[in-house]
Each structure stands twice: as C-alpha cells, then as structure tokens.
Amino acid sequence: MSDKSSRIPVAGPSITELEVSYVAQAARDGWFANSNFYQEQFEAGFASYVNRKYAVCLPSCTAAIHLALLSLEIKSGDEVIVPDITWIASAAPISYVQATPVFADIDPKSWCISTDSIIECISDRTKAVIAVDLYGAMPDYEKITSICNDRNLVLIEDAAQAIGSSYRSRKAGSFGDVSVFSFHGSKTLTTGEGGMLVTDREDIYKRVLFLRDHGRSSHRLFWNEEVAFKYKMSAMQAALGYAQLQRIDQLVQHKRKIFHWYREALKDAKEVILNPEIEGCINSYWMTTAIIDSSLNLDKERTVTLFSRHNIDCRPFFYPLSSMPAYQSNVSGKNTVAYTLSPYGVNLPSALSLSENDVLKVADCFKAILKSNRITSD
Ligand SMILES: *Cc1c(COP(=O)(O)O)cnc(C)c1O
C-alpha cells in the first residue's frame, strides 16, 4: 500500500471490527441456502431505517436510477427534469432509456433543484422529475411533490448523498415514487460499490426485482420473459452494508461534527458560505462545502491546487451538467444560480477518519489561502 498517511483525504469511510466480522461471516456462509440471506437482511433493515415498504439492493446507485426509470416506464421521447448541479449519475440513466434530460437551476437557499425552475422546464413531454439531495441538503419536497401531483409527473429522489438527512421529520429516501442511495466508497454508508432502491409501491418493487435478474420467470426455472439486466449485490457487500447500518447514527453524527468544527473555525471568514440547512431540515453534510465570494477571484480549480500543495485533498463543486461535453445542452441565460455558484465552490475534506485537529489544520490552511488572495486581488 502506498503511504498517503500524511495527506488529508477528501472522503472515505469508517470501518470497524464489526464490519470486518460481518463480511468474514458472509464469506464463510453466504452461499447455498444462505445465498440471499445477507441481501435480504440489509434490504429489510434499510427499508425500516428510511421508513419505506420495500428496498432492493443493487450494484450501484446508477443502476438504481436506471431501474427506477424503467419501472416507471420512462422511454424515448419523454423528458426528465434533473438539476444542473449534481453528479452525472443522476442524469446518465435518462439517456440509457433514450429519454431526454432537461436541466433545471438550483435554489440558492438549498443548493438543490429550484421549484420555480422545475415549473419553467415542464413541457408536454415531461414525465418525471429527479430531485437530488445535494451534499446532504434537501430541496423543498412539499412544493416539489405538489407540482408533480398536479401535473401527473413521477418523482425520483436521488438521496445518494443524504443518508441520515431529514425534511420536516421525514428521512431522506422517503420522498417520491422511488428514492435511491449510493454506497460507493466515498459515501457516508459504504459497501465498496453498491446502491439501494426504495419505494412504497408494490408494482415498482416487483418490476425492479424482475429487471435486476435477467427478467426471469418466478415460476419456471431458467425461463426469461424479457431481456433485462444483471444488477445484483453480493452477500459480502450486503454484509458490509448491514454492519454499517448498525452504526449509521454514529456515522451521520460524525459528518455533522466535522461540519460544525469547520463552521466554528471559519466563522470569521466572511467571504465563505458553507452548506445550507433550510428550516425544517437536518443536513447530514456528506461533504462540507464552501463557496468563496466571487470578489476574491479565486476559482475552484485554483483553490483545489493550493490545498493540494499543503497535502490536503479537496474537490471542485460539481460543474453544471449542461456545460460539459457529455451534454452541451443549451441553457444559455437560464440556470444562473448554478453557473454563478459552481465556479467558486470546493468540497472540503469530509472523510469519516478526520479528527478535529485535521479539520482545524484544513481551516487554517483555508484562511491562509483566502488571506493571500485578498492581498493579491487588492
Ligand atoms: C454517488 C452518486 C450517485 C451514483 O452512485 P454510484 O453508486 O456510484 O452509481 C448518484 N447520484 C448522486 C447524487 C451521487 O452523489
């Protein structure tokens, strides 16, 4: 293993002997009659945690969004509204089903999809909205749900970054027809790679079970009703996820602690805005994120480079999807919040291994970067 011990990582999990022992157990006995035991245990525990009727574990959140769109019958010719600021995995599956993504602006109050922008994006072809709980924040689900109900649109909640967040006492993952989670190694709860789809609708649940396993017949062995997908999670991954789920309150508490350490240490840094927590929400702060006032002229790429010189790993705020070669969608003049915030945002180190001292070191470095830029830009 390479020695990166002196570098402060941007993301990463908390793994204890509990996880190691669950995975070892699954490696020993997650076979034969037990070959679905760990997956079913993880699914049941997860459904209960987010207060949904059904949960299906999958190899990734990308696969979960893909199956969500398929089970909701989104297809060629349909439009799906998705925020311009998110990881591409929120949008790529729209193309997998030959539908068209329409990029909505974000709300400066929540950094999540703007309800006004959703309304502006609606056309005769709109079939669905994918809302994203960005960095653990949550959008105005009350309004979004009512817009979707009024226009007969289905709603998918991409809660990949928000396990442990809540909106008006309802957990992230309990909004919309379907919600999805990611257990990628950077996420708060990890299975290495992995994802979960949750829903209260039995029709979606049954369809997803069918689609994730090659469209097999439930009553005739090796009989395939449709060409479908192979999207299953292994017993070892599920055992890891189930162990992490036992510790979820602790993991979320640590993310919130990291954020509060930063907020305290940066309280005098007036040019910096940290993650929003709108009224009635609890933000699980997957990534503590700072937006630097544009007057400092310090763009995110430069900030990431400056931190890197001090052995600190940061990440740039997501680029607007509409701005990248993958899409080059014409939103000119629209999505002004996305285009205004994105160039100056950085994700600060938020790995679950961080101590208060690590956070203070990053904050000191950040203040020094801000200070030297204040001088040079004067
Ligand atoms: C991480 C992430 C995904 C994708 O998750 P995978 O498990 O890597 O497929 C989707 N949406 C958002 C918002 C994410 O942050």
Side-chain angles (χ1 to χ4, degrees):
M1 280 188 275
S2 64
D3 180 24
K4 295 208 175 133
S5 52
S6 60
R7 219 172 156 80
I8 297 184
V10 69
S14 161
I15 301 294
T16 63
E17 284 307 310
L18 183 78
E19 284 83 352
V20 173
S21 69
Y22 277 42
V23 176
Q25 189 64 28
R28 285 192 196 97
D29 70 7
W31 315 101
F32 303 105
N34 285 338
S35 58
N36 284 316
F37 173 79
Y38 292 95
Q39 294 88 328
E40 285 166 7
Q41 195 179 38
F42 184 32
E43 289 169 345
F46 201 89
S48 141
Y49 177 71
V50 296
N51 204 13
R52 286 282 206 179
K53 281 199 184 123
Y54 307 104
V56 184
C57 60
L58 297 163
S60 67
C61 180
T62 307
I65 299 173
H66 188 192
L67 295 190
L69 293 169
L70 287 169
S71 66
L72 292 162
E73 294 176 31
I74 307 300
K75 53 188 183 308
S76 170
D78 295 342
E79 291 178 356
V80 179
I81 298 171
V82 63
D84 212 347
I85 296 287
T86 180
W87 174 230
I88 192 171
S90 306
I94 300 169
S95 304
Y96 302 170
V97 302
Q98 271 96 49
T100 305
V102 176
F103 300 110
D105 204 359
I106 55 170
D107 185 330
K109 286 206 282 293
S110 66
W111 298 356
C112 297
I113 196 164
S114 140
T115 50
D116 291 343
S117 184
I118 291 176
I119 291 169
E120 282 164 22
C121 289
I122 291 174
S123 79
D124 294 345
R125 296 174 145 199
T126 310
K127 290 286 156 51
V129 174
I130 300 177
V132 179
D133 304 334
L134 197 77
Y135 303 132
M138 295 181 73
D140 186 346
Y141 276 112
E142 187 172 291
K143 255 198 209 147
I144 294 174
T145 306
S146 99
I147 293 168
C148 289
N149 288 344
D150 289 351
R151 327 245 169 168
N152 212 12
L153 307 176
V154 293
L155 175 61
I156 296 171
E157 177 193 11
D158 181 347
Q161 305 179 351
I163 189 164
S165 295
S166 65
Y167 172 94
R168 301 194 182 162
S169 307
R170 272 177 65 184
K171 281 242 161 62
S174 64
F175 294 88
D177 298 85
V178 173
S179 304
V180 294
F181 288 88
S182 170
F183 309 130
H184 176 258
S186 66
K187 299 289 165 45
T188 302
L189 184 161
T190 191
T191 60
E193 295 280 359
M196 190 77 82
L197 181 153
V198 296
T199 182
D200 294 321
R201 282 177 52 179
E202 191 185 10
D203 60 330
I204 292 176
Y205 173 63
K206 288 197 162 151
R207 183 78 184 143
V208 167
L209 289 181
F210 174 81
L211 290 173
R212 83 162 160 177
D213 194 15
H214 282 311
R216 288 175 191 246
S217 160
S218 55
H219 49 270
R220 190 170 173 187
L221 212 54
F222 286 167
W223 191 258
N224 306 90
E225 315 267 6
E226 287 175 42
V227 176
F229 301 88
K230 180 61 195 298
Y231 281 166
K232 294 188 78 181
M233 179 181 267
S234 75
M236 277 86 71
Q237 289 169 296
L240 178 52
Y242 190 63
Q244 290 255 282
L245 191 60
Q246 311 308 305
R247 297 181 53 233
I248 187 63
D249 293 341
Q250 191 189 333
L251 302 179
V252 171
Q253 268 323 103
H254 196 68
K255 287 285 190 184
R256 286 183 59 83
K257 230 191 242 170
I258 290 171
F259 178 82
H260 289 287
W261 289 331
Y262 276 120
R263 194 172 64 181
E264 215 20 57
L266 294 168
K267 66 175 185 294
D268 297 325
K270 300 287 178 236
E271 308 93 338
V272 164
I273 293 173
L274 299 181
N275 313 51
E277 190 173 49
I278 60 171
E279 210 191 310
C281 285
I282 294 174
N283 190 329
S284 59
Y285 300 116
W286 172 53
M287 285 272 177
T288 296
T289 299
I291 295 180
I292 302 167
D293 197 282
S294 60
S295 66
L296 283 197
N297 242 328
L298 189 56
D299 63 55
K300 59 187 173 188
E301 290 87 356
R302 175 137 181 86
T303 309
V304 169
T305 306
L306 293 172
F307 270 116
S308 182
R309 285 187 197 153
H310 296 272
N311 256 343
I312 295 169
D313 273 333
C314 293
R315 284 183 182 165
F317 199 82
F318 292 120
Y319 293 89
L321 291 173
S322 62
S323 72
M324 292 192 286
Y327 290 107
Q328 291 197 327
S329 180
N330 185 10
V331 295
S332 60
K334 287 178 65 226
N335 300 357
T336 50
V337 179
Y339 278 79
T340 307
L341 296 184
S342 168
Y344 302 107
V346 281
N347 304 129
L348 301 176
S350 306
L352 284 164
S353 58
L354 296 196
S355 66
E356 184 169 13
N357 265 343
D358 295 323
V359 168
L360 293 178
K361 190 176 154 197
V362 176
D364 282 345
C365 180
F366 197 11
K367 285 187 272 192
I369 290 172
L370 294 169
K371 191 172 172 195
S372 65
N373 230 74
R374 220 177 281 137
I375 293 161
T376 53
S377 67
D378 280 346

